[in-house]
Amino acid sequence: MAQAVVTSQVQDAERYFTLVSGHRIPAVGLGTWRSGSRANESVFNALVEAGYRHIDTAAEYGVHEEVGFGLQAAIKTGIRREDIFVTTKLWCSDLSPNRVRIGLNNALQELQVDYLDLLLIHWPFHLKEGASRPPKEGEVLDLDMEGVWREMEKLVKENLVRDIGISNFTLKKLDNLLSFAQTMPSVCQMEMHPGWRNDKMLEACKKNGIHVTAYSPLGSSEGGRDLIHNETVERIAKKLNKTPGQILVKWALQRGTSAIPKSTHKERIKENIGVFGWEIPVEDFQALCRIPTQKRVLSGEELFVNKEAGPLRSVADVWDHED
């Protein structure tokens, strides 16, 4: 019996990371970007069939309601709400002190939940509500980061949100936030995979006790970073008798980050969480870390242009330019 308890504790520790708040975040979650009408089914399959306990979404993805239906269907099978870690993000048009609570309330209503486990700032810049794509002159607004963060801190105190955090921040923006934050960001979510390691940001977060969640951990064929078919990834997957997706997710976990691979395919959803009870050997892990041509996918928010700042081609360019 004692051995069974110890084994269970070891397995449990492998599946979760502990945040600075003391709460736990599951090591692998389901990403829902570009899931569309299939988000409902994907969330249900992930929770009920594959054993996921973390669902990641965002207002900007346009799938809150579908995710909510999937959550409620899973809960009806007997999974407890408190065992599901629900993450969503405030979009740029809600990044003003008077809009934070509105954004949260909309998310709670659409997701059909009473609280969030994690609320993130999606991108650290402020857009006028209803801004065009690309935004027209005057639609990129000043960002009162301290005012926004103060409102998010209130949500934690009111138990509407268990943890707050950030996404797509640069080192300079992180330093600015830490200069006034009374409640530390628990999580920093960023694009991260062997083709875009983001080493400096990962190091800064670890130094400050901020957990990192890797999005787009598999890269993206659409974004020009198709790591599933990378020669090194395929070689290691064949050697370990795993799928390329499992190798990429496991690489993220072995770096000390959680990962949120996105899929709407039932079998792939199951495969992507099959990353426990084994390790990538050191030499193979290091080979993955040496994959050249560091390039980000840019995920879902391309084609924003800040005309006042010059010919910026994407939201990531705006993000970098502001530093």
Side-chain angles (χ1 to χ4, degrees), residues 189-229:
Q189 190 178 118
M190 64 183 80
E191 179 179 344
M192 189 175 287
H193 43 72
W196 181 253
R197 293 187 304 274
N198 225 331
D199 292 327
K200 290 182 179 180
M201 194 65 182
L202 176 60
E203 181 181 349
C205 287
K206 287 185 175 181
K207 178 181 177 181
N208 288 286
I210 302 169
H211 175 72
V212 172
T213 295
Y215 73 73
S216 296
L218 311 183
S220 171
S221 57
E222 297 175 7
R225 240 20 221 121
D226 184 5
L227 294 172
I228 291 291
H229 297 99

Side-chain angles (χ1 to χ4, degrees), residues 29-320:
L30 178 74
T32 59
W33 174 57
R34 287 188 175 174
S35 293
S37 61
R38 300 185 66 180
N40 180 345
E41 179 184 3
S42 298
V43 168
F44 180 85
N45 287 336
L47 292 170
V48 177
E49 302 292 336
Y52 285 68
R53 288 299 179 264
H54 181 189
I55 303 298
D56 179 272
T57 189
E60 179 63 9
Y61 300 167
V63 295
H64 266 174
E65 291 188 351
E66 289 80 5
V67 169
F69 289 131
L71 288 171
Q72 292 308 310
I75 289 170
K76 287 179 180 177
T77 69
I79 298 174
R80 301 185 306 168
R81 163 64 185 98
E82 55 265 37
D83 291 333
I84 306 173
F85 194 100
V86 180
T87 298
T88 194
K89 311 172 190 77
L90 288 170
W91 182 237
C92 302
S93 56
D94 284 328
L95 289 190
S96 63
N98 65 327
R99 290 284 310 178
V100 169
R101 192 172 296 265
I102 294 172
L104 170 72
N105 288 336
N106 288 340
L108 293 177
Q109 181 178 354
E110 292 166 353
L111 292 169
Q112 301 180 57
V113 294
D114 297 326
Y115 68 93
L116 295 175
D117 295 274
L118 178 62
L119 180 65
L120 304 176
I121 293 174
H122 201 155
W123 284 89
F125 67 98
H126 184 200
L127 286 180
K128 183 178 180 180
E129 187 174 6
S132 307
R133 294 200 180 190
K136 298 174 183 177
E137 186 174 350
E139 291 183 337
V140 179
L141 308 175
D142 291 336
L143 172 58
D144 177 7
M145 180 63 74
E146 183 170 359
V148 167
W149 195 253
R150 290 283 175 262
E151 293 302 311
M152 293 176 70
E153 289 175 328
K154 290 178 185 177
L155 302 179
V156 176
K157 292 178 181 178
E158 296 171 26
N159 296 317
L160 293 171
V161 176
R162 301 188 78 200
D163 283 277
I164 52 178
I166 56 179
S167 180
N168 300 305
F169 269 50
T170 57
L171 288 168
K172 184 175 180 179
K173 288 179 169 61
L174 175 61
D175 287 341
N176 177 52
L177 174 62
L178 295 180
S179 72
F180 56 73
Q182 296 173 2
T183 301
M184 283 286 289
S186 293
V187 174
C188 176
Q189 190 178 118
M190 64 183 80
E191 179 179 344
M192 189 175 287
H193 43 72
W196 181 253
R197 293 187 304 274
N198 225 331
D199 292 327
K200 290 182 179 180
M201 194 65 182
L202 176 60
E203 181 181 349
C205 287
K206 287 185 175 181
K207 178 181 177 181
N208 288 286
I210 302 169
H211 175 72
V212 172
T213 295
Y215 73 73
S216 296
L218 311 183
S220 171
S221 57
E222 297 175 7
R225 240 20 221 121
D226 184 5
L227 294 172
I228 291 291
H229 297 99
N230 176 273
E231 181 180 351
T232 300
V233 175
E234 289 187 322
R235 174 182 62 78
I236 296 171
K238 184 176 181 180
K239 172 184 174 181
L240 300 181
N241 195 28
K242 304 295 180 183
T243 68
Q246 288 171 333
I247 295 299
L248 291 165
V249 173
K250 188 65 177 183
W251 178 84
L253 269 58
Q254 286 187 212
R255 291 184 95 207
T257 72
S258 52
I260 46 172
K262 172 261 174 181
S263 182
T264 57
H265 301 283
K266 188 173 182 179
E267 291 308 312
R268 204 162 298 147
I269 288 172
K270 288 183 178 180
E271 285 178 359
N272 288 340
I273 201 172
V275 292
F276 303 112
W278 57 278
E279 294 284 328
I280 300 173
V282 173
E283 63 273 18
D284 295 320
F285 179 84
Q286 292 175 344
L288 292 169
C289 292
R290 291 194 298 268
I291 288 179
T293 315
Q294 291 294 299
K295 177 183 176 182
R296 59 179 167 226
V297 172
L298 297 185
S299 278
E301 292 75 40
E302 302 95 332
L303 303 178
F304 281 91
V305 178
N306 181 351
K307 295 181 179 179
E308 296 169 338
L312 306 172
R313 295 167 297 169
S314 72
V315 71
D317 290 331
V318 176
W319 171 55
D320 288 340

Side-chain angles (χ1 to χ4, degrees), residues 2-16:
Q3 181 62 42
V5 171
V6 171
T7 301
S8 176
Q9 290 174 342
V10 170
Q11 292 174 342
D12 198 46
E14 187 183 18
R15 292 175 178 268
Y16 291 87

